[in-house]
Amino acid sequence: MAEKTIDIAQPVLSRNERIADRLRTRFSESGVFVVNVLSSPGSGKTTTILASNERLRAAGLTCAVIEGDIASDVDALACKDAGMPAIQINTGGLCHLEGNMIEQAVDAFDTSVGLQDIDVIFIENVGNLVCPVDFDLGENLSVMILSVPEGDDKPLKYPGIFQHAGALLLNKVDVAAAFDFDLAEYNHVLDDLNPTAPRFEVSARHGQGMDAWCDWLLGQIEAPRV
């Protein structure tokens, strides 16, 4: 038997919580609303962020994005092409973003754009249904996106991330007819896991349901300012 077991998770999470608290204060003082976007790879996170940006920009808000990926800057470039200030974080294999990474990205925004000139920051977390839940990033809202092709059983297999989310988006509903997705069962499971979080059925690419989602999001953004 080992003489001693060292739990490395606790100090890492404690450090992250301190940074998250620091970020939360900074965001509040700067009037920035932060949305942590969670999902598996391929669910349509970037497309959802871009479609949300269009609608929030029409409402007079300036949105920026922090892109988290294991490698590449494809999504950050797509957001920049859409006129969004964007910072790419490559984790090099890490399956989630952490507070120190976000702090560095926010410093970069403050230098290049001015944090006071940003209304909303979307954090596109690394595509993963487990690890990101454990790391507070100082966000105001965590959003979970599930896409129809992934199947209606994901809330049963990965309950933690669905319980954690403050809003639940079901994306790619425009292709539902091609997949065996049981919407009633999906909602039944969520009724047990997270009955209070609002749910939105959307097609981020084609616009279905996006107005309802963004109207609700806009209400959340404006509420702290009242």
Side-chain angles (χ1 to χ4, degrees):
M1 291 180 63
E3 293 183 5
K4 184 177 182 181
T5 299
I6 300 174
D7 183 0
I8 64 169
Q10 190 59 42
V12 168
L13 291 174
S14 295
R15 175 174 176 267
N16 188 83
E17 287 167 5
R18 290 194 298 271
I19 297 173
D21 286 341
R22 194 160 67 224
L23 283 167
R24 207 170 349 263
T25 298
R26 189 174 182 185
F27 293 144
S28 178
E29 291 175 347
S30 301
V32 180
F33 190 93
V34 180
V35 183
N36 187 8
V37 184
L38 309 169
S39 80
S40 60
S43 68
K45 290 191 298 295
T46 306
T47 306
T48 301
I49 289 170
L50 288 170
S52 300
N53 173 61
E54 288 180 9
R55 289 159 175 81
L56 295 179
R57 183 167 57 193
L61 300 183
T62 298
C63 301
V65 62
I66 298 171
E67 287 287 346
D69 286 296
I70 289 175
S72 90
D73 60 356
V74 173
D75 293 337
L77 291 175
C79 291
K80 285 182 179 179
D81 287 345
M84 299 178 73
I87 300 291
Q88 178 69 52
I89 297 174
N90 289 138
T91 67
L94 199 64
C95 60
H96 58 273
L97 294 177
E98 297 183 4
N100 63 309
M101 303 174 189
I102 301 304
E103 196 164 46
Q104 292 179 50
V106 171
D107 286 342
F109 276 143
D110 211 4
T111 300
S112 62
V113 181
L115 203 56
Q116 71 280 358
D117 293 323
I118 298 174
D119 298 299
V120 181
I121 295 177
F122 289 99
I123 300 172
E124 182 173 342
N125 219 310
V126 179
N128 187 295
L129 296 182
V130 181
C131 303
V133 174
D134 291 330
F135 290 85
D136 185 354
L137 303 179
E139 69 269 22
N140 298 89
L141 174 69
S142 290
V143 178
M144 170 59 198
I145 302 175
L146 177 71
S147 65
V148 165
E150 295 173 75
D152 57 76
D153 59 351
K154 288 299 179 292
L156 285 171
K157 293 180 177 179
Y158 304 94
I161 198 164
F162 290 90
Q163 291 170 318
H164 173 80
L168 298 159
L169 273 64
L170 179 62
N171 192 25
K172 305 186 184 180
V173 295
D174 54 309
V175 298
F179 294 89
D180 185 21
F181 189 97
D182 189 333
L183 183 60
E185 178 61 20
Y186 164 77
N187 280 310
H188 175 70
V189 174
L190 291 183
D191 286 342
D192 289 331
L193 291 178
N194 193 343
T196 60
R199 301 171 203 169
F200 301 90
E201 297 174 21
V202 306
S203 169
R205 185 169 299 280
H206 298 292
Q208 181 179 341
M210 288 301 296
D211 288 344
W213 150 243
C214 288
D215 285 347
W216 178 85
L217 177 58
L218 185 59
Q220 302 303 301
I221 294 166
E222 295 294 346
R225 306 183 184 198
V226 175

